[in-house]
Amino acid sequence: MTHSTDAAAPSLDALRDHLDAHPDPAAREWCRQALAEAADHPGGHGPITAWELRLAEAGRRCGSRHADAARVLILHAAHAGTAALTRVYRQGTAAERRAVLLALPHLVSGPDALPLVEDALRTNDTRLIAAAVGPYAARHLDAHSWRHAVLKCLFTGVPVDAVAGLAQRAHADAELARMLTDFAAERTAADRPVPSGLYRVLALAGPETRKES
Amino acid sequence: MRLFDPHIHMTSRTTDDYQAMRAAGIRALVEPSFWLGQPRTSPASFLDYFDSLLGWEPFRAAQHGIAHHCTLALNPKEANDPRCAAVLDELPRYLVKDQVVAVGEIGYDSMTPAEDKALAAQLQLATDHGLPALVHTPHRDKLAGLRRTLDAVRESALPMDRVLVDHLNETTVEEAKDSGCWLGFSVYPDTKMDERRMVEILRAYGPEKVLVNSAADWGRSDPLKTRAVADLMLAEGFTEDDVDRVLWRNPVAFYGLSGRLDLDVAPPDATHEGNSLARGGE
Ligand SMILES: [Zn+2]
């Protein structure tokens, strides 16, 4: 999974390449130092570790287009575990929370960071929802929560491409197919368009016959 | 016309306001943390509010193509409540965040010793974090309040040219300008300034270091007042460049002192698929 080329889950190498291609040498140098510092001093004394400060300022140091990559790599370099990730998430801006969610599949093997995914899925912030439905959620969310996560993506306009492991988890899921069919019926009754991704997921979840209206 | 509202409390405003602001030309805003009308009773209540200014509110703004930054602080009114004062200890971990472009609103409400203490502590926090400060002037006893405010800044480590003194009017503008601080004017439907008085002040004192805001909140206020001032400036013979200076370049220069202003706002991908905000909560 770590080296997947799935759009839902860029590999660490892909993130490194993205940062290395930063047009501004000062930003590249800042990233290099921040990663080295996180690797050398993952712990810390005082109320806040140095790498957590770097995490907070990554946006202004390397720009919003590279901040996700920088933050995920800083978390990885610091070997942040569930406790540190939980602290960073709880004390973080939306951008930092997003980075924690993106880093989960690279840093946590068991299900103990699931409360962070569940927190993000309760929000209506599509940046957080999209990051929450990555490979970590695919691996650990129970069937009920996973189905609701897919439905929430369709509801809030997060493209279903963001959902990692979609084909495998949706496969022959009759309950998911029912939920999608009901949602489509509700939208149609309200004269509102059915999200384009819905029929794609329905085709994966349903039996052989497709239920297009 | 591109407009920047450097002081507006969007938490108290509706989606219709965001839409109207975007249509009026507002591309960027700063939301200072402030009193919510209902007094808070614990620091935790502040923290949820700060989180919202760094999370949900910028998301809402981005959906309308508006760049959202904030200023964080313990406001002067609640500095007087010992149950809230502990939030000062939490501020440092917030002041390092990317979208925080100043410490504020700080200043005086009733000019108490507790307010003296909170103001001095937060001017120091601004200095420590490389941030400018948004300092409001009190609604009551304004000129005395301004003088005490400027004294507090002079006694602090923060240089006067990193301070925006807000809610100025005809009685306070001259002394504020002489001090070398940035000059903020809140244009309201019936109190504080109106656009006609604002234009007169611009004529008398010039556009240098002048910022105009709506300070719109949960009270009677109008989030389109920046546009109203721009329109009247043009009608009264000011140039497009004057308007751009007061309503875009000056706020960009002041909050840019933080090194954290990012005006490149990309709406979240989801909005391309349909407006998620309207649907998300249903
Ligand atoms: Zn205000």
Side-chain angles (χ1 to χ4, degrees):
Chain A
M1 256 315 169
T2 313
H3 291 278
S4 157
T5 51
D6 196 337
S11 69
L12 295 172
D13 285 339
L15 296 176
R16 282 189 197 100
D17 291 346
H18 181 59
L19 274 193
D20 288 343
H22 199 298
D24 178 8
R28 285 201 302 273
E29 178 57 17
W30 182 87
C31 290
R32 197 192 59 72
Q33 285 186 14
L35 293 178
E37 180 185 54
D40 291 347
H41 306 284
H45 18 261
I48 185 163
T49 61
W51 64 263
E52 284 177 74
L53 285 172
R54 302 291 93 77
L55 206 68
E57 64 182 353
R60 57 188 183 269
R61 298 298 178 189
C62 34
S64 47
R65 284 167 220 283
H66 292 80
D68 273 356
R71 288 190 169 111
V72 171
L73 291 173
I74 289 170
L75 289 167
H76 184 260
H79 300 290
T82 303
L85 290 167
T86 301
R87 181 178 69 243
V88 167
Y89 182 94
R90 296 227 173 107
Q91 300 191 344
T93 61
E96 290 172 277
R97 291 179 186 202
R98 182 179 154 82
V100 168
L101 296 165
L102 294 172
L104 287 180
H106 304 296
L107 287 169
V108 183
S109 49
D112 42 326
L114 266 182
L116 305 183
V117 172
E118 289 160 352
D119 180 89
L121 289 172
R122 279 193 295 272
T123 73
N124 278 352
D125 186 330
T126 50
R127 299 166 303 182
L128 294 178
I129 295 168
V133 292
Y136 188 81
R139 229 175 278 160
H140 298 296
L141 267 188
D142 65 46
H144 178 83
S145 308
W146 189 80
R147 290 181 193 121
H148 274 275
V150 172
L151 203 60
K152 183 138 190 182
C153 286
L154 292 166
F155 226 70
T156 54
V158 171
V160 291
D161 294 321
V163 182
L166 182 68
Q168 298 93 302
R169 285 215 58 168
H171 179 69
D173 184 339
E175 175 64 3
L176 178 63
R178 182 202 59 77
M179 290 164 74
L180 295 171
T181 309
D182 287 355
F183 179 44
E186 191 186 327
R187 276 289 166 95
T188 308
D191 255 338
R192 291 168 63 185
V194 175
S196 57
L198 187 143
Y199 291 112
R200 243 183 75 203
V201 186
L202 190 55
L204 295 166
E208 302 313 306
T209 51
R210 288 170 48 134
K211 297 178 181 170
E212 291 192 53
S213 52
Chain B
M1 189 185 295
R2 53 179 186 175
L3 302 170
F4 189 137
D5 194 332
H7 182 155
I8 182 164
H9 301 288
M10 294 312 296
T11 304
S12 310
R13 311 298 307 191
T14 65
T15 306
D16 285 356
D17 288 333
Y18 268 123
Q19 241 161 14
M21 287 165 68
R22 171 74 198 190
I26 295 164
R27 298 286 178 269
L29 61 85
V30 167
E31 175 157 7
S33 63
F34 81 140
W35 185 57
L36 288 178
Q38 176 69 33
R40 297 176 178 90
T41 59
S42 79
S45 178
F46 279 89
L47 304 190
D48 286 338
Y49 175 62
F50 293 165
D51 287 343
S52 149
L53 295 184
L54 295 165
W56 178 241
E57 208 53 51
F59 175 73
R60 250 172 35 109
Q63 296 212 310
H64 301 277
I66 297 176
H68 182 291
H69 295 82
C70 66
T71 77
L72 299 182
L74 169 62
N75 63 76
K77 201 186 286 276
E78 287 172 315
N80 292 302
D81 187 335
R83 292 174 302 176
C84 297
V87 76
L88 286 176
D89 302 329
E90 302 283 344
L91 268 174
R93 72 175 169 88
Y94 279 96
L95 296 180
V96 300
K97 304 299 188 188
D98 274 335
Q99 301 125 278
V100 180
V101 291
V103 171
E105 324 180 28
I106 51 178
Y108 286 111
D109 183 56
S110 305
M111 293 185 262
T112 64
E115 291 172 25
D116 281 326
K117 203 169 147 230
L119 177 57
Q122 294 186 97
L123 288 168
Q124 185 60 45
L125 281 177
T127 310
D128 296 344
H129 289 85
L131 290 170
L134 168 59
V135 186
H136 88 177
T137 46
H139 303 292
R140 308 173 300 275
D141 201 7
K142 212 172 195 40
L143 185 57
L146 173 80
R147 288 173 181 157
R148 190 150 157 185
T149 301
L150 294 176
D151 285 344
V153 174
R154 286 189 194 100
E155 286 161 21
S156 80
L158 193 66
M160 193 64 85
D161 61 4
R162 293 178 69 83
V163 174
L164 167 58
V165 176
D166 212 344
H167 308 326
L168 294 172
N169 61 21
E170 293 86 348
T171 67
T172 49
V173 56
E174 191 151 346
E175 282 191 41
K177 190 176 169 73
D178 288 345
S179 77
C181 66
W182 294 73
L183 312 168
F185 296 88
S186 301
V187 179
Y188 260 33
D190 37 28
T191 55
K192 296 183 182 168
M193 298 294 299
D194 64 23
E195 46 270 47
R196 193 150 295 281
R197 289 162 59 200
M198 186 65 240
V199 167
E200 287 310 315
I201 284 178
L202 280 166
R203 215 191 300 282
Y205 295 92
E208 194 192 347
K209 282 187 164 175
V210 170
L211 283 74
V212 174
N213 62 74
S214 72
D217 57 15
W218 33 251
R220 191 165 139 68
S221 49
D222 177 355
L224 303 183
K225 279 297 184 191
T226 48
R227 176 59 190 258
V229 169
D231 288 342
L232 190 62
M233 283 176 74
L234 292 176
E236 296 287 317
F238 284 89
T239 65
E240 299 264 2
D241 189 69
D242 294 330
V243 170
D244 191 68
R245 179 172 186 184
V246 172
L247 288 147
W248 185 266
R249 301 199 305 271
N250 283 352
V252 168
F254 175 72
Y255 288 117
L257 293 171
S258 68
R260 306 186 196 178
L261 206 59
D262 180 5
L263 299 169
D264 175 20
V265 60
D269 289 332
T271 51
H272 301 312
E273 295 261 309
N275 68 55
S276 67
L277 192 60
R279 295 175 195 168
E282 286 171 52

